[in-house]
Amino acid sequence: MRALLKFSRAVDWLNAQVGKYVIWLIFAATAISAINAIVRKVFDASSNAYLEAQWYLFAWSFLAAAGYTLLHREHVRIDVLNSRLSKRAQVWIDIIGFAFFLTPLCIVVLYLGTPLAIQMYQTGEMSGNSGGLIRWPVWAALPFGFTLLMLQGWSELIKRIAFLRGQGPDPMGRLADKSAEEELAEALRARTSAETPEASALSDAAPQR
């Protein structure tokens, strides 16, 4: 079990790193969209390459971050029903889901999608749109993203089995690491709390008229 937990931590780290940098793909898509709008309005010119680059980047950000989303338990869940069950029942539902639904789905997608991505690379297929882009870079996002998702599913499966065996922490709670927004909110709250007693002390020390 110790070796499996070590593998789980490695997968968690990998998806955490991928998720940290995927946000730049969203930034790039936004920048390309803005540039395309400016060029079209100012110079009355445009290209299908701009439009296709945007959805290429969106596809990569969506698929590459799938494992990161699962790591942070931000995927869609039926919490109305799940929250009414005991902790062990929730863990068992997750185990069944990861083992018999998520893993087979990822394997099927990889089995069907990887040969297509390789074929696109070998043939150098281009977009059917005028001025469009080569197709294989966006198809490569499919095996990349589903590999990370499957690995994260195995990591979550290991953590839940370890929990049931009493060898791991509660996998259903929130992760300890915080987003930049959460860290900023906590810093602002701490600053406000520090300033409030100081303001109260100055008010008490002020001379009464």
Side-chain angles (χ1 to χ4, degrees):
M1 198 69 203
R2 187 174 302 174
L4 290 175
L5 286 172
K6 186 176 181 179
F7 168 79
S8 174
R9 287 191 293 270
V11 172
D12 290 353
W13 178 87
L14 174 62
N15 272 310
Q17 296 305 307
V18 172
K20 186 184 300 183
Y21 294 104
V22 158
I23 189 65
W24 290 103
L25 300 180
I26 301 296
F27 175 79
T30 304
I32 291 173
S33 177
I35 293 171
N36 185 35
I38 293 172
V39 170
R40 188 172 62 250
K41 293 294 184 182
V42 176
F43 301 102
D44 194 24
S46 185
S47 171
N48 285 321
Y50 288 114
L51 301 176
E52 293 188 2
Q54 291 175 54
W55 69 262
Y56 276 30
L57 291 168
F58 175 78
W60 265 96
S61 62
F62 179 83
L63 289 168
Y68 177 82
T69 303
L70 182 58
L71 169 64
H72 286 268
R73 302 183 66 246
E74 296 294 338
H75 52 293
V76 176
R77 304 174 65 91
I78 309 176
D79 288 331
V80 175
L81 301 177
N82 198 54
S83 61
R84 297 176 182 273
L85 302 175
S86 66
K87 182 59 63 74
R88 291 185 65 86
Q90 293 178 27
V91 170
W92 272 110
I93 288 174
D94 280 357
I95 289 175
I96 294 171
F98 293 138
F100 299 106
F101 292 93
L102 179 63
T103 297
L105 172 65
C106 291
I107 291 174
V108 169
V109 172
L110 289 172
Y111 177 77
L112 298 176
T114 303
L116 286 174
I118 296 173
Q119 179 184 344
M120 292 287 178
Y121 176 76
Q122 292 175 339
T123 61
E125 181 175 332
M126 298 292 297
S127 169
N129 300 317
S130 176
L133 302 174
I134 193 169
R135 284 293 190 224
W136 72 262
V138 72
W139 279 91
L142 202 60
F144 182 83
F146 272 89
T147 297
L148 290 178
L149 179 61
M150 182 171 65
L151 289 175
Q152 191 59 49
W154 292 348
S155 173
E156 299 301 319
L157 178 63
I158 291 169
K159 286 184 280 189
R160 280 152 181 76
I161 293 175
F163 172 74
L164 292 178
R165 292 165 57 95
Q167 296 178 295
D170 181 6
M172 310 300 287
R174 294 184 62 85
L175 294 181
D177 60 315
K178 302 179 180 61
S179 65
E181 292 80 4
E182 291 172 332
E183 290 179 353
L184 177 60
E186 287 194 0
L188 291 174
R189 282 196 295 268
R191 181 177 178 180
T192 302
S193 300
E195 289 177 350
T196 300
E198 182 179 349
S200 299
L202 291 174
S203 177
D204 294 338
Q208 300 295 327
R209 294 184 177 178

